[in-house]
Every structure is written in C-alpha cells, then in structure tokens.
Amino acid sequence: MSENTLKAEIEKGISRMQTLRDEVRVRLHLAGMDAKEEWDKLEPSLVDIERKAEDFTDATRRAVEDALKRLSALRSKLS
C-alpha cells in the first residue's frame, strides 16, 4: 500500500471517528450508566489514536479501524 493511499485511508477513518464520537456524546446525555462507563473506557483511546494518526502506518490504520468498530457498536447500543 502506498504512503499516499495509507494516509488517505487514515485521514478518512479519523474523520469518521470524530463524527461518530460527536454522535455518541450527544446520545450519552440520554443513556444509562452502563453506556457512560463504556464511553469512559473508550474515549481516552480515541484521543490517543488521533495523536498517532500523524504516523501513516498499517498499525495506525488498524487502530483507526478498531476504534471505528467500537464506536459504531456503542452508537448502536445508544439508538
């Protein structure tokens, strides 16, 4: 995978992650304690991934993909 392709994938993933994070924050206002506890565990890793996103590596891409899955699952629980 070329560096430009990898960079584009990571940037796209970070953008999607930020959108999902914002949606989850809004829905958490209406959620129960279990969801809030799950969010409290997930949110710090999102910040860390965003910092690491400047390193365009396969490991970063995988971390972004994993975060997107976890955020999507949490958002689904909050629907």
Side-chain angles (χ1 to χ4, degrees):
M1 181 175 295
S2 75
E3 185 175 339
N4 287 338
T5 302
L6 190 57
K7 179 180 177 182
E9 280 190 31
I10 290 170
E11 288 174 344
K12 181 179 176 183
I14 290 293
S15 177
R16 179 73 179 133
M17 189 177 73
Q18 290 168 337
T19 299
L20 285 171
R21 180 187 57 207
D22 292 343
E23 288 179 20
V24 169
R25 281 182 178 153
V26 169
R27 292 179 187 191
L28 276 171
H29 290 291
L30 305 172
M33 289 303 295
D34 289 340
K36 289 179 182 178
E37 288 175 13
E38 189 172 342
W39 173 249
D40 288 342
K41 291 177 187 175
L42 178 59
E43 187 176 27
S45 67
L46 301 178
V47 173
D48 186 48
I49 291 167
E50 287 176 338
R51 280 191 216 122
K52 291 179 181 177
E54 294 178 10
D55 299 329
F56 302 111
T57 64
D58 283 326
T60 301
R61 182 181 50 79
R62 286 189 302 273
V64 169
E65 289 172 354
D66 180 61
L68 286 169
K69 288 177 188 174
R70 292 169 56 198
L71 269 170
S72 293
L74 179 57
R75 183 185 64 176
S76 294
K77 288 181 185 179
L78 296 172
S79 297

